[in-house]
Amino acid sequence: MEPFKTYVPEEVIVSPRVRVRRERMLRSLGQLFVRIGQLVHPHDVVAKGPGHTTIHLVDVAAELKLKPKAALKAILVEPGQTVKAEELLARQSGLFHRKELRAPVDGRVMQIDPLGRVVLQVMAEGETLRAGLQGKVINLMPRHGVVIESVGAFVQGVWGNGRSHVGILRLLASSPDDQVSPEQFDVSVRGSIVVVGRTASADVFEAAARARVHGLIMASLRPELLDVAQQQDYAVVVTEGVVGAAMAPPIFDILRRHDGHEAVVHAVFSPARPRLRPDILIPLQVEDAPLFHAGRPLATGDVVRLLAPPLLGKVGTVRDPWVGLGMLESGVEAEGCEVELADGSVHFVPLHAVERLTGAERLGEEEEPSEI
Amino acid sequence: MFGDEFVEEETGSESFLYADIGSIWTRAVLVDQVDGRYSFVARGEARTTLEYPAANIVEGVREAVQEVERASSRTLLGGDGESGPQVLLPEDDDGDGVDAFLVTTSAFRPLKAMVFSTELSAEARAALAALHAFYVDVVGTFTVPQKAGGDWGDHSLADLFQTVDRQRPDVVLFVALDKAEPTPSIEHFLEVLNTCNDLYDVRQRPTVVLVGQTTLVSHLAAQIETMNPVEPVSVGEDEAAGAREALVNVMGKLLHERRLARLPGFGALQAWSETPVQPTAVAQARAIELLARQLRRRLVFVDVGGEHSHLVMADADFTYSMVRPGLGLGFQLQELLKRVGAEAIFRWVPGLLPERELEGLLIHRSWYPCVPPATRDALWLEQAAGRAVLQELVAGPFRHLPDSFRGVNGHVTCDYVIGAGGVIQGAPEPSQALLLLLDTLQPTGIVHIMRDRLGLVPALGVLSQTEPEAVADLLAQHILESLGTVVVLSGPFQPGKEVLQFRMIHPDGATYTVTVEGGRIYREYLAPGMRLELELRPARKVDVGLGPGQPVRIHVPGGTVGLVIDARGRPLTWPETLVEQRRQVQEWLFDVGG
């Protein structure tokens, strides 16, 4: 039996030119608004889901600053009653004041609880599904969703704050290790997707919000700033992680090449779904591009990012994709590969501690883009 | 260590392949008969392939089995059909394939359940305790009010609706063991259930499990089955205690229908195996229960998983199994850090790596749970996180211990502790695994500690139903790694003061006496398979499990760590600052040779 082992690594796409196909699926069956072959822009609505019932709780006691008993007296509606948005829900009149509370939404009163809360049953609007990227509709899944294809430079990150935006890519960082200051966020970056280099401070997040950017792209983010990033209205994509690494050179190189071009940032992240990665797409007006195929085994020449200390965040090239078992400094035994770093040093790295930067090996072959 | 207590019977299968599909790792183990006895042959592991691009659990199983093929030089997969190679059954004359293929899995989200009851009697509580063994996340517990408009236990009706809206439970459990006929409050429950159903898509409505007396259950089932799927659990008027067993069966069925059977690739995998694919924790609990019954000993079993962790306590008459969904060393680590705070985790990390760096590494680990700890710091951090998970797991159950498990000062005591899960079975030094279990469970008395190095405990649970002699053979061959015997000293004592003298009496008559100081851990080498006589003379108020100052003379088995005397006291006490605490942990680790 052949002792050699093939190993399919984790991978992120870092490609100067790739054909991206993205499924845009509704959470429940709905209606599609596009046809095959149609060209779409990121903000175009491609499908809508059905409305669904949800609950809206109106805390009359808290809103009118009343005790529960008083709130119950002030409530003007009854269970079963239908109310319109802005319709009067509760009123309390005193000698010198009058307090009123209106329904925030259309709904039906399900219940009024003893704490002075009105439970409204609300028909929520259905999900609106937008294209999310510029491209062509290549497949329809009736009532479920669509597949959109686009060609462009494409970079996947490791963490995102859940927002999606479009904007002009602006490089404020001059190198993968650079760090920008809040003062650099002036009116010229409004509506842009800004590349800030190694990391961002809390001040930078604030300055970016004031400048109304559409996105920030950075290599690393300190753990205590994850919540700050999460709260921003603009998209935030972290390309490396939380341990202070500089931006991987192939990623910085792609972003640098496209400074001034339109980019679509899709900052999705779900720790429960590690392969759902945030990404940055810079659409290119070219037809010819390879299609990405996931699941290729690790091979000699692959560009990889290392995921375990002491080499965490380093980028290198695979010299031998499988060299058998090795003993790590921790005493743990693991199967590994051999990786050569930029300084020429060669290291044994556990197989599960490499992540392929798929497409990065083609960076040297690609010309600088002349026009988009 | 184990094995002689089991009765051997004749069965047909000579070799079997076992696969456990966890949320992060899929592991496969090959067991075959060697000289007429079942023996471990080889194991393999691969990442679980629930996610893109494979999005099919079968891929991960194939990869793990291919690892076993490489390690054992045997062909176990074949038949390149449309759906790819599958496990060859049965074993042929050339030794290819296996006679049986067993599968367990925990790679699914927990079932969400809402519990409604008319009155929570002791019987009802006992029945509900059974839920915890089935990966159930109870998202709300409500007491049905006597009349409309009343409170639902500690909650209002608004809370109830909000819980349904946010959580969308899979199961609604209604318990009314004290009622024989419908009452206005039960009618009120039906109205509320009807309203809650409006929040669901018709095909996704929760299954209603009705636990109560036969007449009431029949009446309610007839009304509810037009709205929701119903599972009746009927018990006679004086048979409330029987509700537990019936509920166990129903929850097993629901877990299968609503989770296991919906795993991508489940159908293909089930088609390879004659034995039903089982939830890992259910199989583990069965194995531990079997061991406890046969040995007539008290066992505590803990498993630290990627997404779920599991505790089993069992003795000759009692079994308690609790799965904590969402508590593990996978992506929930970030949540754990928020919940318990940095100090609760980082105090267990020896060394000087700054807290900020530890936090970054911990979050990185939660994003990349497959990455092995390459440096000592990364290893200490992983084991520290394992300690935090275990402490969370046992905190609740250890506050309400049954009498047989209550030791000195209310701390747990038992005869055997068995640890499982990657962080324990993968600890490169056995002493690290032993100390991890000792630090978190903090048992008292004299305890033997083992680890499930091969991850075979769930397989024993599955095998116990069909191949009991394989269980006996495997246990006789030390598939559980014996780490060692630990003597724990409890009572008021000062660090540095003499608390115990012990004498080791070797089989050849040689003796060796040691004086133990409070606050320290001692380790004496005593190889696996060896036993020696031990004479313990505790100081006046010091307790080794038999009462303050009581001396004892016992025979103890050895292990890969040996004999450990834990004189740190219970509960463990900590210096004031985090830096001192980390230094303290470093000393403990050094004492046991970790």
Side-chain angles (χ1 to χ4, degrees), chain B residues 496-538:
Chain B
K497 290 266 171 71
E498 182 183 324
V499 288
L500 175 83
Q501 266 199 356
F502 71 90
R503 196 154 67 102
M504 301 199 300
I505 305 152
H506 289 271
D508 61 5
T511 62
Y512 175 45
T513 304
V514 180
T515 301
V516 174
E517 288 175 6
R520 301 279 307 274
I521 309 184
Y522 290 73
R523 174 188 177 177
E524 299 291 341
Y525 287 94
L526 181 60
M530 279 184 66
R531 291 179 81 88
L532 61 69
E533 197 176 353
L534 197 62
E535 196 179 277
L536 302 165
R537 293 188 171 280

Side-chain angles (χ1 to χ4, degrees), chain A residues 68-361:
Chain A
K69 266 193 176 174
L72 288 171
K73 278 188 187 165
I75 293 170
L76 303 172
V77 292
E78 288 180 355
Q81 186 179 331
T82 305
V83 293
K84 290 273 177 204
E86 292 302 313
E87 190 176 324
L88 204 56
L89 271 188
R91 176 193 289 144
Q92 202 227 15
S93 303
L95 201 53
F96 303 108
H97 70 277
R98 192 158 80 163
K99 294 176 178 176
E100 286 183 354
L101 187 65
R102 294 178 182 277
V105 285
D106 291 353
R108 188 178 69 88
V109 179
M110 284 175 83
Q111 200 74 36
I112 296 165
D113 80 355
L115 299 173
R117 299 186 293 184
V118 177
V119 185
L120 288 177
Q121 188 178 17
V122 175
M123 185 52 93
E125 205 173 294
E127 180 189 4
T128 299
L129 195 64
R130 296 183 190 277
L133 75 165
Q134 184 178 319
K136 187 193 285 183
V137 177
I138 61 160
N139 197 10
L140 301 179
M141 286 159 277
R143 304 192 66 195
H144 282 89
V146 302
V147 181
I148 299 166
E149 184 179 273
S150 188
V151 172
F154 192 70
V155 169
Q156 285 185 313
V158 297
W159 186 87
N161 71 342
R163 312 255 183 259
S164 292
H165 271 295
V166 183
I168 300 299
L169 200 64
R170 284 291 312 276
L171 235 79
L172 290 188
S174 55
S175 73
D177 202 20
D178 197 11
Q179 241 170 291
V180 302
S181 65
E183 292 73 36
Q184 289 174 269
F185 286 82
D186 56 23
V187 70
S188 68
V189 297
R190 178 168 294 181
S192 303
I193 309 289
V194 181
V195 181
V196 299
R198 181 184 274 267
T199 189
S201 62
D203 292 346
V204 165
F205 280 108
E206 264 180 45
R210 275 198 304 273
R212 296 194 205 158
V213 303
H214 280 183
L216 286 187
I217 301 169
M218 64 198 69
S220 308
L221 189 57
R222 292 207 313 269
E224 67 270 23
L225 289 178
L226 287 172
D227 284 345
V228 175
Q230 197 89 58
Q231 287 157 13
Q232 305 305 324
D233 288 332
Y234 51 84
V236 179
V237 172
V238 175
T239 61
E240 311 297 318
V242 281
V243 286
M247 193 172 281
I251 295 177
F252 187 79
D253 194 26
I254 288 177
L255 299 176
R256 183 188 56 75
R257 288 176 186 211
H258 294 284
D259 189 13
H261 297 163
E262 188 181 73
V264 182
V265 179
H266 194 46
V268 291
F269 176 75
S270 166
R273 296 180 59 198
R275 301 221 167 90
L276 183 70
R277 295 180 181 274
D279 58 54
I280 303 137
L281 171 72
I282 301 132
L284 299 174
Q285 300 296 332
V286 291
E287 289 289 319
D288 175 37
L291 191 61
F292 164 69
H293 290 287
R296 179 170 65 79
L298 193 67
T300 303
D302 280 352
V303 179
V304 290
R305 177 161 54 195
L306 309 186
L307 301 173
L311 300 170
L312 179 57
K314 301 265 188 226
V315 173
T317 308
V318 174
R319 239 173 63 154
D320 190 338
W322 190 80
V323 292
L325 275 176
M327 175 79 80
L328 308 175
E329 181 214 310
S330 59
V332 170
E333 264 195 326
E335 287 183 300
C337 58
E338 258 181 13
V339 176
E340 184 174 349
L341 299 183
D343 62 7
S345 59
V346 177
H347 301 266
F348 171 86
V349 183
L351 288 174
H352 291 293
V354 298
E355 179 172 59
R356 182 169 51 221
L357 302 182
T358 301
E361 71 285 354

Side-chain angles (χ1 to χ4, degrees), chain B residues 13-26:
Chain B
S13 299
E14 293 190 346
S15 59
F16 69 87
L17 184 65
Y18 163 65
D20 178 57
I21 306 157
S23 52
I24 297 170
W25 295 105
T26 294

